[in-house]
Every structure is written in C-alpha cells, then in structure tokens.
Amino acid sequence: MKFKKLKLFTNKLESELRFYSETLGFKILEQNSTSFSVKVGWSELAFEKSDKEHSYHYCFLIPSNKLHQALEWMESRVDIIDLENGRKTQNFETWNADSFYFYDASGNVAEFIVRYDLANEESEDFDISKVLGVNEMGMPTANVKKTNDQLQSELDTEFWKGDIERFGTNGSQEGIFLLPNYYLKDIWFPTTIKIKPEPFEAIIENGKKEYYLEFRNEKIKTIKK
C-alpha cells in the first residue's frame, strides 16, 4: 500500500507552507489562498486551510541506510524531539525500524522512519529529495477491529502488526494506517499530544488499484477510482 496523496487541515496554512517549501525545501506542486501541496517522493502532501486547530501524527519513509545522515540534516533545520537524556532516535524491534520525531508548523507530530526490511538503500548523501514518500497516517478509533475490518474490506489491505484492541496497524511497510484506540492509548509517542480523531483525505494505491479515502467524524468513506 502507498499513500499517493494525503490532505490534512490546518489553521496555520502560511506557516506550513513556509515550513515545507522553505525550511525543508520540498517542491511545491499546487498553491492558492486556501491550500497548497508539495511533492514527497511517490506521495503528494497537501494542507487545506481550516478555522480550527487539528492534531495529527504522520510519518515519512527514508532510505534504510540514511537514518543518521537524515537526522543530522534535519537537526540543522528543525528541533528534533528529545526522547530521553539527549537520545533522538527510537528503535522498534518488532517492526525492524528506527525513527526520529519533530513538530511541523502546526504542532503535528511528524516522523522520519527507516524500515530495514525494505532494503531501499541510497548511495548518495541525504537531502530532502531522498524522502521516499508518506509512510504512516494516524487514524484514531474507538474500535480497532471494526476500523481494520472496514479498511481490509474496502481497500483490500491487511492487518500488519500490533493488536486488535489497543493499537493496531493496517497496510504494508510502504504505507500504513496507525489505528490507536484513543480510550486505551491516549497520547502520541513521544509527546503529550492527545490522540483524537481528526479529518483527513487520502488517495491510496494498493496493488494496481487506487482508492479515494475520507476520514471524518470517525467515519471512513472510500471510493474506488
């Protein structure tokens, strides 16, 4: 599964535009008074202006041999979240992955992750053009099993890892929905930001099929393209 497009909502549109186009240097694909989008590898990341504040967690995939280069590159541009005693990277043993975290201009929890199983090494030095795509999107739910079952049925995706009660995942290592039960898991690691359902839209590629997905008021609507 891959995220071909992900659209989030923000009440700090101008700040997000500066963050993604100037601070990080992603290429702008579209821009107007109410929205913009940037190219992130195989994905398009878009933000649309909103009157209210939203809190998301999302993640970008980078080549599996570029964790420390990417960390050094990012540290010169943004504040990396300190996990404990100056440690900036987190290992996920059961996922065979490492990552680090930062905040975007809206205060969302963003992440760069390497997944060693993908064997997608890059020979050139890291820069923003080496980001491979949007990799994870948080989809908080009151019922992990119900949400996972709907994704499986309508997108033909699969439950990946985790558990069906507290925190599950759906998709593949190239693109994953994070499914925390916000009654049992209340904050986004490694922050104190409360987990709550927030609206987003996406275009998902699975196999050779594409789907439009809308997540709003904890309800998922999908349309096969």
Side-chain angles (χ1 to χ4, degrees):
M1 185 186 104
K2 287 184 177 179
F3 290 94
K4 302 302 289 185
K5 183 172 183 176
L6 176 65
K7 182 166 80 173
L8 309 178
F9 298 89
T10 179
N11 62 347
K12 297 182 174 65
L13 185 70
E14 294 78 11
S15 297
E16 285 288 19
L17 175 61
R18 288 193 299 271
F19 180 79
Y20 275 102
S21 65
E22 297 176 17
T23 303
L24 297 188
F26 285 108
K27 178 185 176 182
I28 298 174
L29 294 176
E30 296 183 18
Q31 178 185 356
N32 56 49
S33 60
T34 59
S35 67
F36 74 91
S37 67
V38 293
K39 178 175 174 55
V40 183
W42 60 59
S43 308
E44 177 181 350
L45 176 65
F47 285 88
E48 184 171 304
K49 190 173 185 177
S50 171
D51 292 332
K52 61 175 291 189
E53 182 179 356
H54 300 280
S55 296
Y56 299 101
H57 172 46
Y58 57 96
C59 175
F60 302 107
L61 182 67
I62 60 174
S64 58
N65 61 335
K66 294 301 177 183
L67 178 72
H68 296 291
Q69 270 196 15
L71 176 60
E72 183 178 351
W73 191 92
M74 287 290 285
E75 278 187 308
S76 68
R77 293 163 175 80
V78 302
D79 292 329
I80 305 301
I81 297 175
D82 187 357
L83 302 179
E84 60 176 356
N85 301 322
R87 179 170 61 87
K88 299 295 178 69
T89 64
Q90 176 69 28
N91 175 253
F92 299 94
E93 185 175 357
T94 60
W95 289 20
N96 196 21
D98 282 291
S99 71
F100 60 85
Y101 299 83
F102 57 96
Y103 297 106
D104 70 8
S106 302
N108 299 310
V109 186
E111 177 184 2
F112 275 18
I113 194 167
V114 296
R115 296 181 179 276
Y116 301 109
D117 291 343
L118 291 178
N120 51 15
E121 294 86 355
E122 167 62 55
S123 59
E124 297 180 2
D125 288 344
F126 181 85
D127 59 36
I128 205 64
S129 71
K130 303 303 187 295
V131 177
L132 299 170
V134 173
N135 185 241
E136 299 174 358
M137 181 60 205
M139 183 184 279
T141 175
N143 189 323
V144 175
K145 185 179 187 306
K146 180 180 177 182
T147 302
N148 177 75
D149 287 350
Q150 183 178 356
L151 292 172
Q152 286 190 159
S153 173
E154 297 182 15
L155 302 182
D156 200 27
T157 52
E158 296 180 354
F159 188 81
W160 187 58
K161 290 190 177 184
D163 65 84
I164 213 71
E165 297 294 333
R166 181 177 180 270
F167 180 54
T169 55
N170 178 283
S172 71
Q173 294 205 59
E174 290 184 319
I176 292 173
F177 289 110
L178 305 177
L179 308 178
N181 181 327
Y182 55 85
Y183 288 113
L184 302 177
K185 177 178 169 59
D186 60 343
I187 60 173
W188 287 118
F189 178 85
T191 74
T192 58
I193 293 177
K194 285 283 188 181
I195 293 177
K196 56 182 179 178
E198 297 280 18
F200 68 86
E201 299 173 25
I203 295 175
I204 302 300
E205 179 184 272
N206 189 37
K208 296 183 179 180
K209 299 176 182 177
E210 283 195 355
Y211 306 84
Y212 167 80
L213 180 146
E214 179 182 88
F215 183 65
R216 193 177 299 273
N217 299 321
E218 282 193 73
K219 297 185 183 302
I220 302 168
K221 180 174 74 173
T222 62
I223 302 172
K224 186 176 177 181
K225 299 191 70 178

